[in-house]
Amino acid sequence: MESNSSKNMSEEAKWYVVHTYSGYENKVKANLEKIVENRNMQDYILDIVVPMEEQIEIKDGKKKAILKKVFPGYVLVKMYVTDESWYVVRNTRGVTGFVGPGSKPVPLSDEEVRVMGVEQYEVVFDYEIGDSVRVIEGPLESFIGTVEEISEDKKKVRVSVSMFGRETPVELENTQIVRL
């Protein structure tokens, strides 16, 4: 019989949301990383993320990019839940508990993980420069254009769109267009 502390390798590790004291998110991440290292739990607790986003702040008339926590009071942990890994996370200083009903942590769905931008997905471009594309979301939805430039690292695409009778280059997210 399999013990409770071993993990089933056929299952994938999932992302769980951990609630922390406000302002302790980065401390929890650092503490947990240290514990994972000390206890050799890298196979159970794979990643710890405090989701951040860049925001533009205007101070004294100057624009300044600052990083803000997307979900203050929460840390995301990619892990296999075993008795030991659950105990380690649950008892890390600054952690108040897992998000989920009762004592059983509930993993985020793949869609939630995607929307939160926690994991970087391999982006596959199914169009090339010169292809005709249709804009499928955003203010230019349903406009037709031609791909002029693909910036793979930024996941942006420059599309020449016909607006008001003339070609206008616009920068779009690669997810905002489909090939015709």
Side-chain angles (χ1 to χ4, degrees):
M1 197 173 116
E2 197 178 6
S3 80
N4 230 355
S5 65
S6 66
K7 62 183 182 210
N8 181 350
M9 284 309 224
S10 65
E11 285 180 32
E12 275 188 57
K14 297 253 189 261
W15 284 97
Y16 295 88
V17 181
V18 176
H19 195 258
T20 70
Y21 293 120
S22 189
Y24 274 74
E25 302 87 356
N26 292 326
K27 276 195 185 94
V28 165
K29 177 177 161 62
N31 289 345
L32 201 45
E33 283 169 347
K34 207 170 277 170
I35 295 166
V36 165
E37 197 176 310
N38 291 344
R39 293 196 179 197
N40 285 323
M41 294 190 69
Q42 296 88 341
D43 291 345
Y44 294 90
I45 299 171
L46 310 182
D47 203 357
I48 303 148
V49 175
V50 178
M52 304 290 269
E53 69 183 355
E54 201 174 89
Q55 290 185 344
I56 302 298
E57 196 175 73
I58 297 173
K59 220 176 190 171
D60 305 327
K62 292 187 178 80
K63 278 187 185 177
K64 190 177 155 196
I66 56 166
L67 282 176
K68 279 225 162 108
K69 294 180 187 98
V70 182
F71 309 109
Y74 296 96
V75 174
L76 303 178
V77 181
K78 186 175 193 173
M79 63 187 283
Y80 292 96
V81 175
T82 64
D83 288 353
E84 189 185 4
S85 67
W86 180 88
Y87 180 86
V88 163
V89 173
R90 183 68 195 81
N91 290 291
T92 297
R93 262 184 56 203
V95 169
T96 59
F98 280 95
V99 173
S103 59
K104 192 166 170 21
V106 177
L108 292 173
S109 69
D110 292 344
E111 177 63 13
E112 287 168 325
V113 171
R114 195 182 64 73
V115 168
M116 291 172 144
V118 181
E119 286 189 340
Q120 298 304 315
Y121 288 94
E122 191 61 36
V123 176
V124 180
F125 294 93
D126 65 343
Y127 41 78
E128 295 170 15
I129 291 171
D131 281 352
S132 290
V133 292
R134 182 165 45 89
V135 181
I136 55 168
E137 71 173 40
L140 301 176
E141 193 174 333
S142 78
F143 274 82
I144 306 289
T146 307
V147 176
E148 286 186 340
E149 191 180 314
I150 299 172
S151 166
E152 291 186 35
D153 56 334
K154 290 196 185 101
K155 299 168 181 52
K156 300 257 189 225
V157 183
R158 196 167 71 224
V159 177
S160 179
V161 177
S162 182
M163 285 165 52
F164 312 117
R166 60 181 234 239
E167 295 297 310
T168 307
V170 291
E171 192 173 83
L172 299 166
E173 300 280 329
N174 61 353
T175 55
Q176 290 181 289
I177 61 172
V178 291
R179 196 166 98 196
L180 290 178

